[in-house]
């Protein structure tokens, strides 16, 4: 028995066709929305039943779907167009880059005004230039300063002359001091020698007393010595008379080897002599401007003589 307000079986079994006509759907939409147990069972059974195959979309629906599907394709075509434009731009830049140097160095265009020589270049390459000057222009006189140069030989000669003049002045001063000397002379010592007993070591000791005495050309006193005057003055104190010359003193002695030489022997050189000071040294009156000192023998052209034997 049906409940009140519940539709009859005929209403429950009405087909649920979605393709109902507009009049029917409007009628049902206005009817009261009544639900029965049978309709609930029917809905449950229909939900569990296999789905029916999709029905074809009406033409209007198909056009809409085709329009929606064409949108991605249009977007895809739009993206491809942008890529083509980028590729063409890069290719155009490469071609332009390769063609610019060829255009810049095209020999055919070298004679054009853009690449041809300028007027200034043409003037620089011209062979002869001539300038016309009016006769009213006064010619200025050009004078040159005379330049002279001093040669190296002249400079050396000037230096040598200056050194000689300085030595002459020093010698004059020394000789003035030498002339004022009033002590014993060589002849005084020979007449009364202070050291009558001869000894090489004593000779060297007496000779060392005159270290620092200035050189005076021709000098033979403590006021000033030259090389042979120094040797002569020392040996005179031992009663030995020597000439005032290097060659004469060398002839007065006996020549010995350097290995046998002792301090007090005489070192003979070309034009110079002095006392042997041991260990390859000489004690002598060197030259103008210097004084008696001990220094190494600076040459191999020498020999030793000994006096008093």
């Amino acid at each position: 028995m049906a409940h009140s307000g519940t539709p009859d079986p005929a209403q429950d079994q009405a087909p649920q066709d979605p393709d109902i006509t507009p009049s029917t759907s409007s009628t049902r939409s206005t009817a009261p929305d009544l639900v029965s147990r049978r309709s609930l069972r029917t809905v449950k059974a229909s939900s569990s039943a296999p789905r029916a195959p999709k029905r074809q979309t009406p033409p209007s629906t198909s056009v809409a779907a085709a329009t929606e599907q064409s949108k991605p394709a249009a977007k895809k075509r739009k993206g491809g167009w942008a890529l083509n434009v980028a590729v063409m731009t890069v290719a155009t830049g490469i071609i332009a880059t390769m063609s610019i140097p060829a255009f810049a160095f095209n020999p055919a265009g070298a004679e054009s005004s853009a690449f041809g020589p300028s007027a200034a270049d043409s003037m620089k390459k011209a062979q002869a230039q001539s300038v016309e000057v009016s006769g009213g222009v006064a010619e200025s006189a050009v004078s040159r300063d005379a330049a002279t140069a001093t040669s190296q030989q002249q400079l050396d000669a000037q230096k040598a002359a200056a050194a000689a003049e300085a030595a002459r002045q020093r010698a004059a001063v020394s000789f003035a001091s030498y002339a004022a000397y009033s002590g014993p002379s060589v002849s005084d010592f020979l007449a009364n020698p202070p050291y009558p007993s001869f000894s090489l070591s004593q000779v060297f000791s007496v000779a060392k007393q005159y270290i620092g005495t200035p050189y005076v050309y021709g000098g033979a006193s403590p006021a000033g010595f030259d090389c042979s005057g120094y040797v002569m003055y020392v040996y005179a104190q031992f009663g030995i008379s020597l000439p005032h010359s290097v060659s004469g003193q060398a002839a007065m002695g006996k020549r010995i080897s350097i290995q046998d030489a002792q301090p007090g022997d005489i070192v003979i050189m070309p034009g110079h002599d002095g006392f042997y000071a041991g260990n390859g040294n000489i004690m002598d009156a060197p030259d103008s401007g210097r004084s008696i000192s001990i220094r190494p023998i600076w040459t191999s052209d020498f020999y030793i003589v000994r006096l008093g034997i």
Side-chain angles (χ1 to χ4, degrees):
M1 180 177 184
H3 295 280
S4 60
T6 302
D8 56 357
Q11 293 178 348
D12 292 338
Q13 293 179 0
Q16 301 294 327
D17 189 356
D19 298 331
I20 57 176
T21 59
S23 60
T24 307
S25 59
S26 61
T27 306
R28 294 187 61 183
S29 61
T30 56
D33 196 7
L34 301 178
V35 180
S36 65
R37 291 180 182 177
R38 185 178 297 177
S39 63
L40 291 175
R41 285 194 300 268
T42 304
V43 170
K44 185 176 181 180
S46 62
S47 62
S48 60
R51 295 183 179 180
K54 294 182 178 181
R55 303 179 69 179
Q56 293 184 355
T57 306
S60 59
T61 307
S62 300
V63 173
T67 303
E68 294 296 330
Q69 290 178 2
S70 64
K71 290 182 180 180
K75 293 182 180 179
K76 189 177 297 184
R77 285 196 302 271
K78 184 177 181 181
W81 176 83
L83 180 61
N84 292 338
V85 170
V87 171
M88 292 178 65
T89 303
V90 173
T92 304
I94 294 175
I95 294 173
T97 304
M98 296 175 63
S99 62
I100 287 176
F103 172 77
F105 297 100
N106 187 4
E111 299 300 329
S112 63
S113 59
F115 298 99
S118 62
D121 293 337
S122 300
M123 294 179 64
K124 291 179 182 177
K125 295 180 180 180
Q127 296 297 326
Q129 300 288 336
S130 62
V131 178
E132 295 183 1
V133 181
S134 61
V137 177
E139 182 179 356
S140 60
V142 178
S143 61
R144 295 180 180 273
D145 295 334
T148 59
T150 304
S151 63
Q152 186 62 40
Q153 291 78 5
Q154 292 174 334
L155 291 175
D156 295 340
Q158 292 175 2
K159 291 180 181 179
E165 179 60 23
R168 187 193 65 78
Q169 293 178 1
R170 288 193 298 267
V173 173
S174 299
F175 192 78
S177 301
Y178 176 79
Y181 175 73
S182 59
S185 62
V186 171
S187 58
D188 295 335
F189 286 142
L190 290 175
N192 188 18
Y195 306 102
S197 166
F198 178 79
S199 167
L200 285 175
S201 60
Q202 188 69 27
V203 169
F204 185 72
S205 178
V206 172
K208 285 178 66 177
Q209 297 175 6
Y210 302 104
I211 291 178
T213 302
Y215 177 90
V216 174
Y217 179 77
S221 74
F225 291 113
D226 63 7
C227 60
S228 59
Y230 174 43
V231 175
M232 181 182 67
Y233 188 83
V234 171
Y235 270 92
Q237 298 182 46
F238 293 88
I240 299 176
S241 178
L242 296 174
H244 196 171
S245 69
V246 174
S247 58
Q249 292 174 2
M252 294 284 295
K254 180 181 179 180
R255 187 168 179 169
I256 62 175
S257 64
I258 185 65
Q259 290 78 14
D260 297 332
Q262 297 179 19
D265 289 330
I266 302 175
V267 180
I268 303 297
M269 301 177 182
H272 187 71
D273 65 354
F275 293 97
Y276 183 70
N279 298 323
N281 296 319
I282 186 175
M283 182 170 61
D284 64 337
D287 52 19
S288 179
R290 295 194 288 176
S291 58
I292 294 174
S293 62
I294 298 176
R295 54 181 177 151
I297 298 174
W298 61 92
T299 179
S300 60
D301 188 9
F302 74 94
Y303 59 93
I304 308 296
V305 298
R306 180 172 293 174
L307 298 173
I309 57 175

